[in-house]
Amino acid sequence: PRPEKNAAHPPVMQLRLRAPDIISDEAWDATRAMIAANQGSLDEVWFSTGIGVPPVAVHIDRAARMTRAAAELRRLGVIPSLQFQATIGHGDGISLTEDCSAKTWTGWTGSTGVEAKACNCPRQSGFLAYVREVARLYAAFKPAYVWIDDDLRFDNHNPATVGSRPGCWCERCIADFNAATGGKWTRKTLDAAVAKDEALLKKWIGFSEDSIVEVARAIAEEFLKVSPDTRMALQHGMTHTGTIMKILTVLHETSGRPVGFRPGGSAYYDVNPN
């Protein structure tokens, strides 16, 4: 039997855009015209920060366009929201389809030593500073929700994650793990050790999860400084449940409000995802 309808939580139809949909006045005007001509067909629009690592000037322009577009959506009775579409990165093959020229820090590195050049180590100070600056820019249009995309995860940061254990294994991450545990590991010796020591592997995974969680915290903190009414949300990758729960917890604790939660990883048909 179908569950009783809950009038307090009616279904919402969302239109998820990509960065090119707002790259120019002409592109947005065409999209807005379609929305205006079909009023009632959707409730909410997600704009996108893009999937690359472009210069901050690109985000300044994109955020200004979103501010104008958000005002127009509100006049149409549509809720403007945002998808923070790149954090760690979706893998070199996808991320490099857009501009990644602002990336000057170490990429996500697998236990095999392979680095995803267009993806990001979550412990790099330059990366975290970039994330915070970008978040402040997009907070200006005061989105109803910020949906962090499903690349905030351990896997699918190719080529680094092919045949790799969970986590980023770059020199910074190994050094920070040593500082936290009193160890003297190298990437190779730690990889060999966790293969035999379940307790050590558990410590490494917990450390790596905490690295990822700090990216979510940075996004939430910066948005809420500028737009305290914005709700935080996660489009998750459906793997590593411990990571997902830690992200949801920090988003809830940082915002003090319930958080949004839905599957990503191409499971976009909500009636029967995957």
Side-chain angles (χ1 to χ4, degrees), residues 173-205:
C173 288
I174 299 297
D176 285 0
F177 183 68
N178 284 337
T181 62
K184 295 182 180 180
W185 307 106
T186 65
R187 176 183 55 78
K188 289 183 178 180
T189 61
L190 181 61
D191 184 42
V194 299
K196 302 174 183 177
D197 187 336
E198 289 189 11
L200 181 61
L201 177 60
K202 185 176 179 180
K203 281 184 181 179
W204 170 255
I205 289 176

Side-chain angles (χ1 to χ4, degrees), residues 49-52 83-90 95 120 127 131 149 151 219:
T49 60
I51 58 175
Q83 184 164 51
F84 209 102
Q85 203 168 4
T87 52
I88 303 301
H90 293 272
S95 296
N120 304 292
F127 167 64
V131 165
D149 204 3
D151 62 321
I219 293 170

Side-chain angles (χ1 to χ4, degrees), residues 87-108:
T87 52
I88 303 301
H90 293 272
D92 283 0
I94 296 176
S95 296
L96 288 171
T97 61
E98 292 188 11
D99 183 359
C100 291
S101 62
K103 183 177 177 295
T104 58
W105 46 83
T106 301
W108 183 279

